[in-house]
Amino acid sequence: MNENNLLDEKFTNILFETIPDMLAILDKNGKILFCNSQFVKNSRFEKKELIGMIAPVDLVHKDDREKALSAFEQVVTEGIHLNVQLNVIRKDKTVFPSLWSGSVLKDKSETVQGYLITGKDLTVIDNLKNELKQLSTQKFNEHLLTIGELSARLSHDIRNPLGIIRMAIENMHNAKNKPDGFEASIERCNRSIDRITHQINDVMDFVRQKPLTLTNNYFLEILNSSILSMNIPKSIKIIKPKDDFVLYCDPEQIQVVFSNLILNSIQALSQNGQIDISILQNNDSMEIIFADSGIPIPEKIMPKIFEPLFTTKQMGTGLGLVSCKTIIESHGGSIRVKNNPTRFEITLPKPIIH
């Protein structure tokens, strides 16, 4: 087949109409001179309506217009530009995602005559991605439900023996004529029980989704309940705020957050130091800060600290801080970690008190 045949208008039309992508020929100013039926089908304009439109402007969503003009400019200056994702506007004002490439068209004397643009409608691909995402989410939720049921059984099976062991230790602690080193051994046993109990709680708090029961509660009441439920080493001092405030929250779930953050500080302090807890009232929010005198958290792990299963502790589950984040966000708040001093900052919406 010779060159004249290749340039034959009939052959060109056949070529354009058999390609499944959108194709258009633009003049030097970006106006559409010709487009194929796939372009018409996707845009829902008639062909006569498309002729004369400025492709990078008239057919591109306003948010992507600057990107489209920049891509067209690159075709003009460099001769080609590939795979630019743009949202295109149809005649009925609906928008569809698409992927575009462009190249310069020259005659035999290398004089620019116009430009060829080709586009792929990504709607089907995006729909498939969404379907896969939904299937993945459904599968994940099924796995999570199974893990939750298994965790509940394991929790029950482990908690009962732990309760018996703790009771036996209490009886031993109350016994007379204790041998040397007995008290230290009892303390080690209690710490081990506390660690196992906390790990069980971490897993259960993560896998079970409890609906919020929101009421007005005093901050110090929740904080004191959290502290009383824990074994705080005597060498660690907890400084509480003097002023009390009302929180609109689920007190049980917020107590889980407070307990996790206090325990996190205790572990960071290596059994010696100070935890400062403060609360501030802003115009429309409450800010609660848990700061400790421990060493700063390495900057490289800061972005990962709220990720599931991420932990730097040999005995940690990597779920405690994840549960904290989930609970706080379910209350419409946020939690973040900072250094100097090491602290967790919680922001919660300010309660509306009638």
Side-chain angles (χ1 to χ4, degrees):
M1 190 176 288
N2 60 37
E3 187 176 79
N4 289 331
N5 286 333
L6 282 173
L7 296 175
D8 181 79
E9 184 179 347
K10 183 178 179 181
F11 177 82
T12 304
N13 284 336
I14 292 172
L15 180 65
F16 268 46
E17 296 303 334
T18 54
I19 291 176
D21 294 338
M22 295 175 282
L23 290 107
I25 293 176
L26 313 181
D27 68 10
K28 295 178 183 180
N29 297 314
K31 289 183 179 180
I32 298 174
L33 298 174
F34 172 84
C35 61
N36 67 351
S37 57
Q38 193 64 37
F39 203 116
V40 173
K41 179 182 176 182
N42 282 58
S43 68
R44 297 177 187 169
F45 285 96
E46 293 183 23
K47 184 174 285 191
K48 63 182 180 181
E49 293 175 310
L50 289 166
I51 303 302
M53 282 188 176
I54 302 174
V57 176
D58 298 331
L59 293 171
V60 177
H61 190 271
K62 61 180 182 179
D63 292 343
D64 285 350
R65 210 159 284 162
E66 188 175 338
K67 182 166 66 169
L69 288 169
S70 175
F72 181 67
E73 183 64 28
Q74 193 166 343
V75 174
V76 172
T77 55
E78 298 181 15
I80 191 168
H81 192 49
L82 304 175
N83 299 331
V84 181
Q85 190 161 340
L86 301 168
N87 285 315
V88 173
I89 307 171
R90 297 188 179 98
K91 184 177 180 178
D92 58 11
K93 304 302 180 184
T94 58
V95 177
F96 68 94
S98 55
L99 192 68
W100 293 87
S101 297
S103 62
V104 69
L105 295 175
K106 296 180 180 180
D107 60 18
K108 294 178 183 179
S109 63
E110 292 296 306
T111 302
V112 174
Q113 296 298 315
Y115 305 95
L116 172 69
I117 59 170
T118 65
K120 293 179 182 293
D121 184 354
L122 299 180
T123 304
V124 175
I125 296 174
D126 277 12
N127 288 341
L128 285 172
K129 284 181 180 178
N130 289 333
E131 287 176 16
L132 285 171
K133 188 176 180 181
Q134 288 175 4
L135 286 172
S136 298
T137 302
Q138 182 182 348
K139 200 71 177 174
F140 175 77
N141 288 336
E142 289 173 0
H143 282 307
L144 197 60
L145 182 62
T146 303
I147 292 169
E149 291 173 354
L150 178 61
S151 299
R153 292 178 190 176
L154 287 173
S155 170
H156 179 269
D157 291 345
I158 295 172
R159 283 186 198 272
N160 285 344
L162 279 179
I164 294 169
I165 293 169
R166 192 184 286 277
M167 190 179 298
I169 290 172
E170 284 295 321
N171 291 334
M172 292 165 63
H173 180 67
N174 295 328
K176 297 179 180 180
N177 302 321
K178 303 181 186 102
D180 293 340
F182 183 77
E183 290 290 346
S185 297
I186 291 290
E187 183 61 28
R188 283 197 297 271
C189 289
N190 278 324
R191 284 201 301 269
S192 296
I193 292 171
D194 288 340
R195 187 167 62 237
I196 296 170
T197 302
H198 182 73
Q199 289 180 340
I200 294 170
N201 291 339
D202 273 357
V203 174
M204 293 308 299
D205 290 336
F206 177 71
V207 297
R208 65 186 172 195
Q209 296 181 350
K210 292 176 62 178
L212 295 178
T213 304
L214 298 172
T215 54
N216 286 327
N217 301 271
Y218 285 105
F219 165 73
L220 285 177
E221 188 176 331
I222 301 174
L223 179 61
N224 289 331
S225 295
S226 301
I227 294 171
L228 287 172
S229 69
M230 306 172 70
N231 267 335
I232 310 293
K234 293 178 182 178
S235 58
I236 289 180
K237 187 177 182 181
I238 296 181
I239 307 297
K240 298 183 291 184
K242 294 179 181 178
D243 296 328
D244 203 358
F245 292 96
V246 172
L247 299 179
Y248 186 62
C249 65
D250 184 318
E252 287 187 12
Q253 296 202 35
I254 293 298
Q255 185 175 327
V256 169
V257 175
F258 290 177
S259 297
N260 266 303
L261 295 180
I262 292 169
L263 182 65
N264 202 68
S265 290
I266 290 172
Q267 292 170 340
L269 292 171
S270 300
Q271 307 298 313
N272 186 32
Q274 182 171 302
I275 303 170
D276 289 280
I277 303 169
S278 57
I279 181 168
L280 303 171
Q281 185 171 245
N282 301 317
N283 290 334
D284 55 358
S285 64
M286 312 291 291
E287 189 162 336
I288 305 164
I289 301 170
F290 287 76
D292 63 59
S293 57
I295 60 173
I297 299 169
E299 291 294 330
K300 65 180 180 180
I301 73 168
M302 294 274 269
K304 301 179 182 179
I305 206 162
F306 292 108
E307 291 181 4
L309 305 180
F310 177 79
T311 182
T312 57
K313 306 162 192 169
Q314 287 185 333
M315 301 299 292
T317 61
L319 297 174
L321 290 176
V322 182
S323 296
C324 290
K325 186 173 186 290
T326 301
I327 291 170
I328 294 300
E329 289 180 349
S330 70
H331 280 76
S334 62
I335 183 170
R336 55 205 167 273
V337 60
K338 294 183 179 179
N339 276 325
N340 301 317
T342 307
R343 63 195 185 277
F344 286 87
E345 298 177 350
I346 297 169
T347 301
L348 289 171
K350 190 175 179 180
I352 300 173
I353 303 175
H354 300 285

